[in-house]
Amino acid sequence: DTSRIMDYKDMLRLLKQDQFTVDTELFTKYRRESSKVVSYLVKEFELRKNAEQLKRATTAKTGDLNMNRLYSYNFTEDIFKKISVVPQGKSHGLVMFLDWSGSMVKHMGNTVKQLLNLVLFCKKVNIPFEVYSFIENTDYAYNYSPSSHAKTGDLTMHTFGLINLLSNRMNSVDFTYAAASLMKMTGVNYSNGYYNVRTPSFMKMSGT
């Protein structure tokens, strides 16, 4: 049921309705400052990816005769040219979930910094990504009523939903605004105390 997930387009619309103003330059500055960390992640990723590709490389016959091996045609069939086939497919992506519970208040700033580093890494190496947080706000969350057939030990949930905070589907303007909004909400570049966490009305932190 897609109604349980608030797409980033709806989140951005609500932020603007709430007149949630942000300093996009703050995110631009952080992006520059984190470039060394992101570049290191990219380097490690490329090294590991290349090693994995070589490990999975296979040798295939081309169908063309290897003229240097024609002399051995009487006692071997291995007289064709060969090539190494290295898989190039990209079948990976990242889905990240940010704990939006009240107990995270003092840790949100540093957590979001790490999250942004991972997202910027994904953008650098062109890996698809989606970032979500959960909400309990009854106006936007999925209202679930436990079944009468539920028994002891079953997991049941009440008001619950996900907000799509960041996505590789965003254009550069939306991505910068969303990332800057996330920084402001969670007090990045401020002390990580309770009073520096400022969320819009529809994204108030609550119980896990």
Side-chain angles (χ1 to χ4, degrees):
D1 183 358
T2 56
S3 64
R4 304 179 193 182
I5 300 176
M6 181 190 294
D7 191 63
Y8 78 84
K9 294 177 182 177
D10 294 321
M11 180 198 69
L12 294 177
R13 177 178 54 81
L14 289 171
L15 284 175
K16 290 170 183 176
Q17 281 183 7
D18 275 15
Q19 297 181 333
F20 194 76
T21 56
V22 298
D23 182 5
T24 55
E25 283 299 316
L26 188 63
F27 170 66
T28 302
K29 179 182 177 183
Y30 179 77
R31 192 172 193 167
R32 287 195 301 267
E33 292 173 349
S34 64
S35 60
K36 288 184 179 180
V37 174
V38 174
S39 295
Y40 177 78
L41 292 175
V42 171
K43 179 183 176 182
E44 287 296 309
F45 173 76
E46 293 296 340
L47 286 173
R48 292 172 186 271
K49 183 181 72 172
N50 292 337
E52 181 65 20
Q53 286 178 340
L54 288 175
K55 188 170 68 175
R56 293 187 288 122
T58 58
T59 302
K61 294 179 180 179
T62 64
D64 296 328
L65 290 173
N66 184 346
M67 303 307 291
N68 294 327
R69 296 190 63 84
L70 278 179
Y71 69 90
S72 61
Y73 75 94
N74 280 328
F75 51 86
T76 180
E77 296 180 354
D78 190 15
I79 59 175
F80 294 95
K81 291 181 180 179
K82 295 180 180 180
I83 58 172
S84 292
V85 180
V86 180
Q88 297 292 335
K90 290 185 177 180
S91 59
H92 44 264
L94 288 179
V95 179
M96 294 167 267
F97 295 89
L98 178 62
D99 186 347
W100 206 250
S101 57
S103 59
M104 282 288 292
V105 165
K106 293 184 179 179
H107 310 287
M108 286 301 289
N110 289 327
T111 303
V112 166
K113 285 182 180 179
Q114 294 300 317
L115 174 68
L116 290 176
N117 286 343
L118 287 173
V119 167
L120 292 172
F121 157 75
C122 288
K123 289 179 73 66
K124 193 83 171 179
V125 295
N126 200 29
I127 293 178
F129 64 90
E130 301 289 346
V131 179
Y132 298 94
S133 69
F134 58 81
I135 51 173
E136 285 190 312
N137 189 313
T138 54
D139 292 334
Y140 303 102
Y142 172 67
N143 195 359
Y144 175 76
S145 297
S147 168
S148 58
H149 301 291
K151 58 184 182 296
T152 302
D154 286 352
L155 175 66
T156 61
M157 294 182 294
H158 292 274
T159 52
F160 178 80
L162 295 173
I163 296 182
N164 191 193
L165 299 174
L166 299 167
S167 170
N168 65 278
R169 296 174 290 120
M170 290 175 165
N171 61 38
S172 59
V173 174
D174 286 346
F175 176 76
T176 298
Y177 177 75
S181 297
L182 196 54
M183 290 179 70
K184 180 177 179 179
M185 290 180 206
T186 56
V188 172
N189 281 19
Y190 300 91
S191 63
N192 290 329
Y194 176 83
Y195 294 105
N196 286 321
V197 174
R198 294 161 290 180
T199 61
S201 58
F202 68 97
M203 286 184 65
K204 290 181 178 178
M205 293 179 175
S206 53
T208 304

